[in-house]
Amino acid sequence: MTTLRVEMHQITKRYGDLTANDGIDLVVEPGTVHAIVGENGAGKSTLMNVLYGMVRPDLGSIDINGERVDLTGPHDAIRRGIGMVHQHFMLVPSLSVAENVIIGSAPTRGGLINRRQAREIVRRVSDEYGLQIDPDDRVGELPVGSQQRVEILKALYRGAELLILDEPTAVLTPQEAVELGRVMRQLTESGKSALFISHKLKEVMAVSDEITVMRRGRVTGRFSAGETDERALARTMVGREVMTTVAKAPAESGATVLEVRDLAANDDRGHQAVRGVSLSLCAGTITGIAGVEGNGQTELIECLAGLRPTLSGEVRLSGVEITGASPRRRRTLGMSHIPEDRLKRGLAPNRSVAENLVATTYRSASFTRFGVIRRAEVRSNAEEAIGRFGIAGRHDQPVAALSGGNMQKVVVARELAQDPDVVLIAQPTRGVDIGAIENIHREIVALRDRGAAVLLVSAELDEVMQLADDLYVMYEGRLVAQLDPTAVHENEIGMHMAGVTPGRSNAESMTGGDRAR
Amino acid sequence: MRVDISMQRMRTAATAGLRVIVRQLEPLLLAFLIVAVVLLVSGYDVPAVFKSLLGSFVTDFYGMLRWATPMILTGLATAVAFRARVWNIGMDGQLLIGALAGGAFALYVAPLFSPNLGVLVVLIASLTGGALWALPAAILRVRWGVPEIITTILLIEIASLLVSWLVLGPMKGQGALGASMSTDQVDQSMWLRPLKWQEPATVGFYISVAVAIFIGWYLMRSRHGFEISIFGDNRQFASYAGMNNPWIVVRTMLISGALAGLAGGLEVLGSMHRLPSEFAANLGFQGIAVSLVAGNNPFGIILGGVFFGGLKAGGTTLQLQTETPRDVVDIISAIVILVITARVGYQFLGRRQPRLLSRFVRSVQEKEGA
């Protein structure tokens, strides 16, 4: 078996005015796990796509085992021993593991696919790297973590010596992430190497040998895992000191503001996604919902915001029943909503910052008189928000011209402007730079301290644990546990997230359970 | 130093402006090019055709304004709808019903009023008629999700048959003969005054321009205009923000239909002075081209309407002078629509657009920058 030593020299890639990669050098030694960390837009994905042959660099070259190569496409990269596991899996759910692995390059006998041989190959590779995959399982029935291992298996089957993984842990539970780390280590023992993108510094520290930090298209630091720590990495990534914990006083809970009883709702495909959720949100409290994505959190929030029909159950806002009420009515009653996918739902990208900032309040007398928009007020409203939230942009710029973080700020500014009683927040820091996360977390706590009831849904466990005063775990449409975020251990939450009920002997879960009743 | 920066800014602003204009002219140029090829292949004298087609901008100034009058209105009807991403393409039907309502009121109701008031009544009737003809499509869309792109176009056919039946039957005029069946003439007191004696353009042109300015103001300043722009940009966001989306669609369709209907009313009072059993001038369809070329901008539509009006007037001269069918003008509009639609399609697919001239402009810009 040949090992692979990959060198990238002075890789430069420009998209219009944006330089995604600016003279990047990167060496991946065989038998190592190499992490690339950086904020969104730092150029990590572009660099990986260059290495996988999907993007041709404007300048620079790639050497594999000392030989200059010109990758013409992913096929070429695969042929040379480079495999990639994308963030979104490319698997056929209705086929078995073995069938998925051999798609496109199946072992044949007499023109027919040799299924037995395929199964044997899958079993052998799975055993060799401890992937724990049964070739006969149907892919659609596997948990996400196993599906990811099927992707890894697929790459290995095609002869990958260097495996690129694009944000592999974004979709995993903590336990699955640990498992993935173990798999990567096992790969390196047989001389293969792994190159993975992440922004979770903790796991980067745990599994990698080498760490390259990127910022704004450049390499700003190279470390060996042994000689650095998370703090130093964060600093190199952001370019300044970063607070990783949020200062937070104990919550001063007030009256119940939002009451949800036995709520049920479908997802877009008509399958029931929320199955009898009951919870109450109190003024001055952050209620967190942890869970692996796709367990009904999105649907729950949309249903509460009035954007998704309620199947059954009841929702009351400050004592008024709002089940089935329109978003406008909910908003006038003091609800606001920071949606998960800001661009898709939270903004009109081609309209100006000022227009986006009044899109929920334009009907009020302060912005409309006799059916005519009061432009001066709309503009001064925008200028005030730009100042208060530090939005880097002008009031008359289209929102799409702002950076991701600033688009986020536009949404937050608008949703918090009315001093809402209830705020639904979904994935507040998704796609946000580390430097800006800090700010958003502070805003959420400040919101609570002003007496708002906050419902926070996040796939980032650290985030929910840090911010929530009251913590639920959602699994398959149900709230399976109510826990005390200050007393519970991450592992226990992870178990709930995976749908496993921890043993009754676990004292922490007992206290949590008592609180729920 | 400061001067340098502001100069540079002005230059970028100027090139950006140039780019917009070039971007809008491109489809036109491309359309002319394709038509030239078609004519060449069919054995026509291409330079003579273009000379006579474009010459009418000068020689038939009032003919140009006469045709600009309805085209500006159907262009506006398109713009209002398209800005909300509501695809009303049945302006021809709404125009017909506007003409029908206008004609009926002019014949049977308006004589009860003084001439000036009568004109007003007729125009209001045609606005209402056009709006009502857009309503079924709007209702089908918001209630049952039937695509308006299909219903509006089907309603054209129904409108056309309805007008024919009424004009050939109940509304048939006394002196109507042979193929040119029509209603009686509208009383001369209600005819719109020509801009110049014995020229085809009337004060209807001023009405169109005034309406364009009003619609421009409406789209940019009114609450509904604001909703249209947000809704047109991102529907999901509009409902998230608490906008009442079905009502936005209905109102948009009503306004769009009313504008097309007004074009029909002006045709009756300004040019035809009666309601013929059929008049297929494709004015609604050409309104789409007008609006697309103007980037759905009401003020641009005034220019676009005049331009296509000139082509239309030129088409008539063309037929007389060069024996080229006047359909050439329709072909040009059709190609303009195709080119712009293709470009929008490319945007949807997220691909880089194949731009001819703008690519050139960009390369010039890059050189300047470097």
Side-chain angles (χ1 to χ4, degrees):
Chain A
M1 205 184 303
T2 55
T3 55
L4 218 59
R5 183 175 191 277
V6 175
E7 286 177 63
M8 300 176 87
H9 298 292
Q10 290 296 308
I11 299 294
T12 300
K13 178 72 195 173
R14 289 193 192 88
Y15 293 104
D17 297 337
L18 180 88
T19 306
N21 284 169
D22 188 0
I24 307 265
D25 290 320
L26 183 76
V27 179
V28 185
E29 300 287 351
T32 59
V33 175
H34 195 127
I36 298 191
V37 298
E39 299 188 312
N40 274 67
K44 298 165 295 186
S45 292
T46 305
L47 189 66
M48 294 304 97
N49 287 337
V50 167
L51 185 53
Y52 193 51
M54 293 207 293
V55 170
R56 287 184 85 92
D58 299 329
L59 291 171
S61 58
I62 301 172
D63 291 356
I64 295 180
N65 291 339
E67 181 200 344
R68 176 105 351 148
V69 295
D70 181 20
L71 297 173
T72 53
H75 272 284
D76 198 19
I78 291 168
R79 203 170 52 81
R80 295 175 190 277
I82 298 171
M84 185 157 177
V85 175
H86 295 271
Q87 209 170 355
H88 301 283
F89 306 146
M90 301 178 179
L91 297 169
V92 185
S94 57
L95 295 183
S96 74
V97 169
E99 285 165 331
N100 265 288
V101 169
I102 60 167
I103 283 176
S105 51
T108 53
R109 196 174 55 186
L112 296 172
I113 290 174
N114 187 343
R115 276 166 206 280
R116 184 186 297 167
Q117 199 190 335
R119 282 213 301 275
E120 273 163 18
I121 293 171
V122 169
R123 192 162 287 134
R124 204 189 61 231
V125 180
S126 170
D127 288 349
E128 193 175 334
Y129 300 104
L131 294 174
Q132 296 171 354
I133 292 283
D134 183 339
D136 294 323
D137 279 345
R138 210 146 293 280
V139 162
E141 288 161 8
L142 292 177
V144 178
S146 310
Q147 291 194 14
Q148 190 174 54
R149 294 205 294 275
V150 175
E151 282 281 17
I152 294 174
L153 221 160
K154 213 163 93 180
L156 294 175
Y157 167 73
R158 287 165 194 211
E161 290 297 320
L162 166 64
L163 201 60
I164 305 170
L165 299 115
D166 187 3
E167 300 236 9
T169 56
V171 291
L172 303 181
T173 62
Q175 281 89 347
E176 285 174 327
V178 170
E179 183 62 19
L180 175 68
R182 197 188 54 72
V183 170
M184 284 200 272
R185 292 252 55 104
Q186 197 143 353
L187 288 175
T188 57
E189 273 163 31
S190 54
K192 296 182 191 297
S193 43
L195 181 57
F196 81 106
I197 297 181
S198 181
H199 59 260
K200 293 183 186 167
L201 300 179
K202 207 192 283 180
E203 67 193 31
V204 166
M205 288 298 298
V207 297
S208 19
D209 304 304
E210 301 289 329
I211 302 165
T212 298
V213 183
M214 286 180 71
R215 182 160 167 259
R216 292 191 187 154
R218 296 198 174 150
V219 172
T220 51
R222 294 175 211 278
F223 301 93
S224 290
E227 59 191 37
T228 185
D229 57 23
E230 283 176 47
R231 214 187 163 81
L233 284 179
R235 200 167 44 225
T236 326
M237 233 164 113
V238 182
R240 64 180 167 84
E241 200 69 33
V242 180
M243 309 270 289
T244 45
T245 50
V246 195
K248 195 178 83 163
E252 287 178 34
S253 286
T256 302
V257 186
L258 188 80
E259 235 183 320
V260 182
R261 270 225 323 266
D262 268 337
L263 195 74
N266 281 344
D267 62 16
D268 289 334
R269 292 169 302 169
H271 301 150
Q272 196 175 336
V274 179
R275 302 161 181 271
V277 166
S278 299
L279 74 148
S280 6
L281 305 187
C282 298
T285 311
I286 299 173
T287 306
I289 296 186
V292 179
E293 267 182 81
N295 275 287
Q297 302 97 314
T298 307
E299 287 80 3
L300 172 65
I301 290 270
E302 286 179 0
C303 188
L304 292 178
L307 297 168
R308 185 173 283 282
T310 308
L311 282 184
S312 62
E314 193 188 64
V315 184
R316 285 176 170 276
L317 176 53
S318 310
V320 184
E321 169 153 11
I322 55 160
T323 326
S326 69
R328 191 192 292 173
R329 176 153 167 75
R330 287 171 207 243
R331 284 182 175 280
T332 42
L333 285 170
M335 180 186 275
S336 78
H337 175 200
I338 299 175
E340 184 176 325
D341 191 337
R342 255 78 60 180
L343 258 189
K344 201 168 118 204
R345 184 147 253 166
L347 294 166
N350 298 310
R351 308 308 304 181
S352 72
V353 170
E355 286 177 305
N356 272 280
L357 283 168
V358 297
T360 56
T361 47
Y362 68 101
R363 309 192 134 258
S364 73
S366 37
F367 298 123
T368 315
R369 191 165 40 192
F370 310 121
V372 180
I373 300 282
R374 303 169 73 172
R375 309 234 313 172
E377 277 74 8
V378 169
R379 182 184 167 156
S380 62
N381 173 71
E383 270 158 4
E384 192 198 310
I386 287 171
R388 181 173 154 206
F389 289 86
I391 300 167
R394 288 191 322 270
H395 68 94
D396 56 351
Q397 251 180 325
V399 161
L402 305 184
S403 71
N406 281 299
M407 290 192 206
Q408 175 98 11
K409 286 182 194 167
V410 172
V411 178
V412 172
R414 185 188 59 224
E415 294 306 310
L416 302 191
Q418 301 299 302
D419 271 325
D421 298 330
V422 180
V423 191
L424 312 173
I425 305 180
Q427 319 291 0
T429 52
R430 158 146 326 148
V432 173
D433 298 343
I434 287 206
I437 288 178
E438 205 182 323
N439 236 329
I440 291 170
H441 284 175
R442 263 206 305 270
E443 280 289 343
I444 294 175
V445 172
L447 189 64
R448 176 200 77 168
D449 293 342
R450 283 201 299 272
V454 179
L455 181 63
L456 172 73
V457 167
S458 174
E460 304 287 336
L461 192 48
D462 286 347
E463 180 167 84
V464 212
M465 285 183 68
Q466 269 185 35
L467 291 175
D469 303 306
D470 195 5
L471 178 63
Y472 292 86
V473 179
M474 194 160 182
Y475 176 73
E476 293 195 337
R478 292 193 179 83
L479 298 183
V480 290
Q482 182 177 20
L483 309 159
D484 179 355
T486 56
V488 71
H489 189 264
E490 195 171 304
N491 280 345
E492 192 197 340
I493 304 181
M495 301 274 268
H496 285 296
M497 281 165 72
V500 183
T501 318
R504 297 228 73 184
S505 59
N506 191 325
E508 282 166 348
S509 101
M510 283 297 287
T511 33
D514 287 339
R515 271 173 49 108
R517 253 153 245 140
Chain B
M1 206 49 204
R2 282 190 64 135
V3 179
D4 268 8
I5 290 169
S6 68
M7 278 296 286
Q8 201 177 350
R9 239 186 227 157
M10 267 169 63
R11 212 161 56 197
T12 20
T15 28
L18 175 66
R19 217 148 109 182
V20 169
I21 292 173
V22 163
R23 206 175 132 65
Q24 295 310 325
L25 286 182
E26 240 174 55
L28 275 179
L29 293 176
L30 191 57
F32 276 110
L33 203 71
I34 294 173
V35 166
V37 171
V38 170
L39 290 173
L40 200 67
V41 170
S42 323
Y44 290 101
D45 180 1
V46 179
V49 169
F50 279 105
K51 203 177 145 209
S52 125
L53 200 57
L54 299 173
S56 63
F57 284 89
V58 186
T59 58
D60 193 7
F61 182 72
Y62 289 98
M64 169 172 84
L65 297 189
R66 178 258 173 274
W67 288 112
T69 305
M71 284 188 188
I72 289 172
L73 288 170
T74 51
L76 292 170
T78 311
V80 169
F82 282 19
R83 274 180 166 237
R85 288 189 175 270
V86 170
W87 308 117
N88 177 18
I89 52 170
M91 272 76 68
D92 275 307
Q94 292 135 24
L95 182 145
L96 273 172
I97 298 300
L100 171 67
F105 268 69
L107 290 169
Y108 311 123
V109 181
L112 305 173
F113 303 97
S114 71
N116 282 339
L117 202 56
V119 168
L120 192 65
V121 168
V122 170
L123 294 184
I124 290 172
S126 57
L127 277 165
T128 317
L132 287 180
W133 206 250
L135 189 60
I139 292 174
L140 284 167
R141 161 66 196 280
V142 299
R143 189 71 191 76
W144 291 285
V146 185
E148 69 280 6
I149 203 161
I150 292 170
T151 48
T152 50
I153 209 161
L154 291 177
L155 281 163
I156 297 177
E157 216 48 43
I158 300 173
S160 160
L161 292 170
L162 180 67
V163 168
S164 295
W165 175 71
L166 283 172
V167 173
L168 296 176
M171 292 173 72
K172 190 165 148 191
Q174 299 289 323
L177 285 170
S180 59
M181 285 291 203
S182 76
T183 61
D184 284 329
Q185 252 192 5
V186 173
D187 190 85
Q188 205 160 353
S189 65
M190 283 187 284
W191 293 9
L192 296 178
R193 202 176 324 116
L195 293 179
K196 193 179 169 196
W197 188 67
Q198 282 215 329
E199 289 288 357
T202 66
V203 293
F205 177 72
Y206 295 142
I207 297 180
S208 285
V209 171
V211 170
I213 292 167
F214 172 75
I215 291 293
W217 174 87
Y218 186 80
L219 288 174
M220 280 152 211
R221 298 288 162 91
S222 78
R223 191 166 79 185
H224 181 214
F226 179 72
E227 288 170 339
I228 285 181
S229 51
I230 297 283
F231 181 77
D233 193 30
N234 184 353
R235 269 172 211 207
Q236 279 199 335
F237 174 57
S239 49
Y240 153 92
M243 294 183 182
N244 187 346
N245 289 352
W247 184 219
I248 295 175
V249 172
V250 170
R251 270 192 297 174
T252 304
M253 280 291 267
L254 287 178
I255 293 176
S256 176
L259 290 167
L262 180 61
L266 291 181
E267 282 296 284
V268 169
L269 291 188
S271 305
M272 302 183 299
H273 306 134
R274 65 205 167 92
L275 184 63
S277 65
E278 44 192 62
F279 60 109
N282 267 340
L283 293 169
F285 170 70
Q286 299 213 327
I288 298 178
V290 168
S291 184
L292 289 181
V293 164
N296 296 330
N297 178 316
F299 305 112
I301 283 172
I302 301 176
L303 293 179
V306 168
F307 180 77
F308 276 89
L311 284 186
K312 184 108 186 161
T316 317
T317 339
L318 183 70
Q319 198 155 7
L320 295 171
Q321 289 179 350
T322 64
E323 292 177 359
T324 314
R326 66 206 282 177
D327 303 323
V328 164
V329 178
D330 282 345
I331 296 176
I332 293 176
S333 330
I335 294 172
V336 167
I337 292 175
L338 275 176
V339 170
I340 296 181
T341 316
R343 191 151 76 174
V344 173
Y346 264 106
Q347 277 172 348
F348 271 129
L349 295 172
R351 297 221 187 108
R352 288 217 148 240
Q353 305 154 30
R355 293 187 215 152
L356 308 170
L357 284 167
S358 39
R359 190 176 294 160
F360 168 74
V361 171
R362 201 164 48 225
S363 73
V364 170
Q365 233 175 355
E366 272 164 14
K367 267 179 213 137
E368 264 179 29

